[in-house]
Amino acid sequence: FKENRKDDIWLVDFYAPWCGHCKKLEPVWNEVGIEMKNMGSPVKVGKMDATSFSSIASEFGVRGYPTIKLLKGDLAYNYRGPRTKDDIVEFANRVAGPLIRPLPSQHMFEHVQKRHRVLFVYVGGESPLKEKYIEVASELIVYTYFFSASEDVLPEYVTLPELPAVMVFKDGTYFVYDEYEDGDLSSWINRERFQGYLHVDGFTLYELGDTGKLVAIAVIDDKNSSVEHTRLKSIIQEVARDYRDHFHRDFQFGHMDGNDYINSLLMDDLTIPTIVVLNTSNQQYFLPDRRIENTEDMVQFINNILDGTAEAQGGDGLLQRIKRIIYDAKSTVVSVFKSSPLLGCFLFGLPLGVISIMCYGICTADTDGGVDEHEAAKKEHGDRELTDEGSEEEQEEEKNEKYTELSDGELKQKDIMEKKKD
């Protein structure tokens, strides 16, 4: 594979046999292979055990499992989107195709515009701007499509101040890149590759972190059709549409279904429906200090964030990191017990049981040792007493000797008295 891979375009899943996420991806990956083959795609689909071929995995910069990469010549493109068949196939087709796709006619332009919610178009001839456009496309092709067209192919409603130009078509309209206002072309394309309003999930929020924008989200329940849920969603949509010129450089707008993911991110239980503004670069977030009644209230809340009067919560400081470690550990334990109580008891009960037995053994060993030392001391003391006083037989003999000595003395004294009398 290492020697021959440059002859073809490869979509490879680097996995580990023990990885749970890899096992979950396996049936999806099989569907991707079948779909690419049925489409007649030039992309070859395969998978590699990164633990068995660690040198190749290391060469391609694999640091986690599963890692999906499209290998095209000397380039390796990482896939970071949702792990669904359609998303992976769309990624493979986009990256495997031409870097810049030409649009030769208005009919083709209309067809492409219907298929893609966001598309970038370069208009004009050879220029330094085109060279920069190609350079950015080689980097960001993993996220979006890049096209080129002549001015007469564009829709009639499009007017360009000058040529060459780079444009983005989205949200039913178009926007022209201005180097003086928008800065670097790569940064501008990275910011504009999303629609003005999104259905935000974990993957999308992760990608939005690369844009440097704050993310204003209505956290709602999509299945709940009550007035409050639909009202907050409508407010965010109206601000995204009507105030784009004011906020699009600093804010991304959208809604999120449910508060599970946002709770883990904020380490707090948010009551839905609610509105939260996230700074994904430093994990800070902003909550409105009063109820958002209408679009004007939301605009005021955003302006307070921009001018620094709104209070930021969270962050990535030391205390917040410690708090996150504790929160993640607690969440892991709770999730394990909820999903499988028996497994939770085994995983956490067994180590606690072993530790308890060890502690009991240590304490018991110390107590027995104390008793043994006490008995030894007592025995030694007893031995000393026996040594000083002798055994009972020795004491009896000594006593008899004294009695004998005393009797002999009395007899001698009696003999002396008798001699005196004589």
Side-chain angles (χ1 to χ4, degrees):
F1 171 76
K2 186 177 180 180
E3 295 174 355
N4 301 322
R5 71 160 187 90
K6 291 185 180 180
D7 297 334
D8 299 290
I9 301 174
W10 281 89
L11 182 66
V12 182
D13 167 29
F14 293 91
Y15 72 96
W18 44 260
C19 171
H21 294 291
C22 300
K23 293 177 182 178
K24 186 177 180 180
L25 176 64
E26 186 173 359
V28 176
W29 196 251
N30 293 334
E31 292 179 3
V32 170
I34 295 171
E35 180 75 10
M36 298 298 286
K37 185 177 180 180
N38 292 339
M39 292 170 58
S41 171
V43 178
K44 293 187 176 182
V45 181
K47 60 181 180 180
M48 178 177 291
D49 183 350
T51 60
S52 297
F53 303 98
S54 57
S55 60
I56 296 180
S58 178
E59 179 182 336
F60 290 118
V62 176
R63 295 181 177 84
Y65 310 113
T67 294
I68 299 173
K69 287 179 177 285
L70 188 134
L71 310 178
K72 183 180 179 182
D74 294 325
L75 301 175
Y77 297 92
N78 287 331
Y79 176 71
R80 299 196 301 177
R83 292 175 186 148
T84 64
K85 183 199 74 173
D86 292 339
D87 287 301
I88 296 173
V89 168
E90 199 268 345
F91 161 81
N93 289 331
R94 181 174 67 247
V95 179
L99 197 61
I100 309 296
R101 290 170 162 82
L103 298 174
S105 64
Q106 286 189 352
H107 177 72
M108 179 62 71
F109 186 94
E110 293 171 359
H111 173 71
V112 168
Q113 195 172 18
K114 290 177 181 178
R115 288 189 59 191
H116 306 296
R117 296 175 179 176
V118 179
L119 65 145
F120 293 90
V121 181
Y122 173 82
V123 183
E126 298 296 326
S127 68
L129 180 62
K130 184 176 181 179
E131 294 177 3
K132 182 65 176 177
Y133 183 71
I134 295 173
E135 179 185 338
V136 174
S138 65
E139 176 188 355
L140 300 180
I141 188 67
V142 294
Y143 300 120
T144 189
Y145 286 89
F146 294 87
F147 298 91
S148 64
S150 59
E151 191 173 8
D152 57 350
V153 169
L154 301 178
E156 295 181 357
Y157 62 82
V158 175
T159 57
L160 295 175
E162 61 180 1
L163 292 177
V166 176
M167 314 166 61
V168 59
F169 289 84
K170 64 177 184 178
D171 302 330
T173 184
Y174 70 96
F175 307 97
V176 181
Y177 166 68
D178 187 327
E179 183 178 1
Y180 298 101
E181 290 188 5
D182 300 314
D184 180 65
L185 178 62
S186 177
S187 300
W188 179 77
I189 291 177
N190 199 34
R191 291 195 306 269
E192 296 294 339
R193 62 187 175 91
F194 297 99
Q195 292 177 277
Y197 182 88
L198 297 171
H199 182 180
V200 181
D201 56 15
F203 282 106
T204 308
L205 199 59
Y206 177 77
E207 289 189 12
L208 287 172
D210 296 335
T211 66
K213 291 184 178 182
L214 299 175
V215 187
I217 304 174
V219 185
I220 62 174
D221 183 357
D222 276 338
K223 297 178 181 178
N224 192 325
S225 58
S226 65
V227 175
E228 186 65 11
H229 287 258
T230 55
R231 185 181 66 83
L232 289 182
K233 182 178 178 180
S234 298
I235 289 175
I236 295 291
Q237 288 175 326
E238 289 175 13
V239 173
R241 182 186 66 245
D242 299 338
Y243 292 85
R244 183 194 185 280
D245 292 340
H246 295 83
F247 300 135
H248 80 279
R249 286 186 175 86
D250 301 302
F251 278 85
Q252 176 66 51
F253 299 92
H255 78 274
M256 179 174 284
D257 181 20
N259 61 351
D260 291 340
Y261 185 84
I262 206 74
N263 285 346
S264 64
L265 195 66
L266 273 55
M267 297 180 290
D268 196 3
D269 292 327
L270 286 183
T271 303
I272 58 175
T274 188
I275 288 176
V276 61
V277 175
L278 302 173
N279 187 339
T280 54
S281 62
N282 60 8
Q283 297 184 346
Q284 287 185 341
Y285 62 94
F286 301 85
L287 295 173
D289 56 359
R290 57 191 177 90
R291 177 183 167 89
I292 302 296
E293 296 285 352
N294 47 45
T295 304
E296 288 71 22
D297 289 342
M298 187 65 202
V299 170
Q300 183 61 48
F301 177 44
I302 292 174
N303 285 327
N304 290 342
I305 295 173
L306 291 175
D307 62 25
T309 57
E311 181 183 359
Q313 302 181 49
D316 55 1
L318 179 60
L319 292 178
Q320 287 296 320
R321 292 178 184 177
I322 295 173
K323 182 180 177 182
R324 180 163 294 281
I325 291 173
I326 297 173
Y327 181 87
D328 290 342
K330 178 182 175 182
S331 301
T332 301
V333 173
V334 172
S335 63
V336 169
F337 274 99
K338 281 185 176 180
S339 60
S340 179
L342 292 177
L343 178 62
C345 291
F346 176 78
L347 290 177
F348 299 102
L350 182 61
L352 290 175
V354 172
I355 294 172
S356 300
I357 292 173
M358 291 175 62
C359 293
Y360 176 77
I362 293 171
C363 295
T364 305
D366 289 341
T367 304
D368 292 344
V371 173
D372 292 343
E373 290 176 2
H374 178 71
E375 292 293 336
K378 184 176 180 181
K379 183 177 181 181
E380 184 180 353
H381 179 69
D383 290 342
R384 275 201 302 269
E385 289 181 348
L386 289 176
T387 302
D388 294 341
E389 296 179 6
S391 65
E392 292 182 0
E393 293 178 357
E394 292 173 344
Q395 292 179 21
E396 188 65 28
E397 277 184 298
E398 186 178 354
K399 191 174 180 182
N400 291 336
E401 288 176 359
K402 288 182 179 179
Y403 178 76
T404 305
E405 290 177 357
L406 180 62
S407 300
D408 291 343
E410 289 179 349
L411 289 174
K412 288 180 181 180
Q413 188 175 7
K414 187 175 180 182
D415 290 339
I416 294 172
M417 292 298 293
E418 287 179 355
K419 287 180 180 180
K420 285 184 178 181
K421 287 181 181 181
D422 295 339

